[in-house]
Amino acid sequence: MGAEFPGIVRLRCSVKRYEWGKVGEESGVARLYANNSGEDIDGDEPFAEFWMGTHESGPSYAAVGANGQLRNGGVEREGGRKRNYLNLVSLKDWIEQNPSVLGDKVFQKWGPNLPFLFKVLSVAKALSIQAHPDKNLASILHKQQPEVYKDGNHKPEMALALTEFEALCSFVGLEEFKTVLQNVPEITEVVGDASANQVLHISKEDGEKKRKEVLQSLFTKLMSAGKAVISDVVVKLISRLNIKHEVRGLTEKENLVLRLEKQYPGDVGVIAAFLLNYVKLNSGEALSLGANEPHAYIHGECVECMATSDNVVRAGLTPKKLDVPTLCSMLTYKQGFPEILRGVPSNPYTVKYMPPFDEFEVDQCILPQGTSTVFPGIPGPSVFVVVKGRGAMQVAMASSEEIIAEGDVLFAPANYEITVKTTAGLSLYRAGINSRFFK
């Protein structure tokens, strides 16, 4: 099983500079990455995602001492920013060499790998309309197109808002769907009167299976329409909304559609947005997304956690590769507004968010000036990220403590009780295995 390593391990993490990310100092991801890595921020470059985990698309690295052993800390500070990691070894390799850090039950379930991927996102413009495949479909897609679908795992995920956070998620309810078709004639122009009338005349008495078949048929026709058709219809849609705006105030969804069109002119996702729920999260609220659920993040910053996967099937609002047939065939076509998670307090400073997935849960910990809290020892690993402030972290029975500040990411092995304290205020988040898994 390899030698056990007691204590906290600092991680050097990866960044993704996707074009939808916030630019320069406006990006919370940029600030975290700069403090974590010691690199300067390019003021003209977008910083989209800060990755913490073992996925090969954005691996984390652990600090190693001169003798090859992992060390607490392992960095030197210069002007408050960490500049020099002593040596680095990939977290994935180290866990494979020392699987006992995962705890027995986690190792037995998922093998020598961290089963969750932890991220921070800074979203300036909409991400693609997308869904993540279940395990069976992920395995098939990975075998067929390994260059596109990077692994064979599923990717349930949860987004926990750091700021006000906007998203599209799941299909609107049946009655709202009918209202959309009555008020947005451009959709009927694309899919045809027959498809629109099928939806308008369906009722709850027709049964869930029938309703899903009708919805899938209409959505597939819309998303599969030719680019020229969609481009012409989007021009009509935007013109109509602008004229309407001179007479009355637009709805939230109509204003959103105008924003999306400026970001992705002529894109089918501009029209498809009418069919999805528009969700606004306040800081501290979370959205849980299972396999095969359509969604698109629109704007804001969040902490995100998911099963260790990078599989995304896209169908709109993106310059990246689309796979419309796969997306339209895989969706659950569940309707209704998604549940908003507000977490359950563990103590006066910590709130726990437990989505219905074994691989992960997230704790939000906000410590006011001069306070401390304890994270009890748990039978699985944890990853901590400090998003604001400064403080100290200490493993029970350890003789020394780790000074922690914005941008620090730390790995804690299973079964270690950890105390966190601050004199000036501190905000951090912890990702770990879902507590339900151990019960």
Side-chain angles (χ1 to χ4, degrees), residues 356-408:
F357 316 119
D358 284 349
E359 286 89 344
F360 61 90
E361 66 181 20
V362 174
D363 288 322
Q364 175 197 60
C365 180
I366 301 176
L367 290 178
Q369 182 176 351
T371 58
S372 65
T373 193
V374 174
F375 288 89
I378 55 175
S382 297
V383 173
F384 294 84
V385 58
V386 181
V387 300
K388 185 185 293 185
R390 186 177 179 86
M393 181 178 285
Q394 187 171 12
V395 173
M397 307 302 291
S399 59
S400 62
E401 61 185 21
E402 285 288 307
I403 301 302
I404 56 175
E406 180 180 1
D408 281 334

Side-chain angles (χ1 to χ4, degrees), residues 57-86:
S57 295
S60 295
Y61 296 85
V64 179
N67 61 357
Q69 297 299 309
L70 283 165
R71 293 177 47 173
N72 293 351
V75 295
E76 298 175 1
R77 293 178 181 271
E78 181 180 305
R81 179 172 289 179
K82 296 176 289 299
R83 291 294 184 183
N84 300 307
Y85 285 84
L86 299 175

Side-chain angles (χ1 to χ4, degrees), residues 330-352:
M330 68 189 270
L331 298 180
T332 65
Y333 292 97
K334 182 172 63 178
Q335 291 183 276
F337 200 80
E339 179 185 5
I340 304 301
L341 305 179
R342 294 177 174 85
V344 177
S346 302
N347 58 52
Y349 310 119
T350 306
V351 178
K352 185 178 293 294

Side-chain angles (χ1 to χ4, degrees), residues 151-172:
D151 54 76
N153 199 17
H154 67 162
K155 191 186 174 187
E157 64 187 27
M158 179 177 68
L160 171 53
L162 291 169
T163 65
E164 184 177 279
F165 193 78
E166 301 170 78
L168 293 169
C169 178
S170 303
F171 290 99
V172 299

Side-chain angles (χ1 to χ4, degrees), residues 313-328:
V313 183
R314 301 178 178 88
L317 301 181
T318 180
K320 294 182 179 180
K321 176 181 173 62
L322 303 180
D323 193 345
V324 174
T326 298
L327 183 118
C328 291

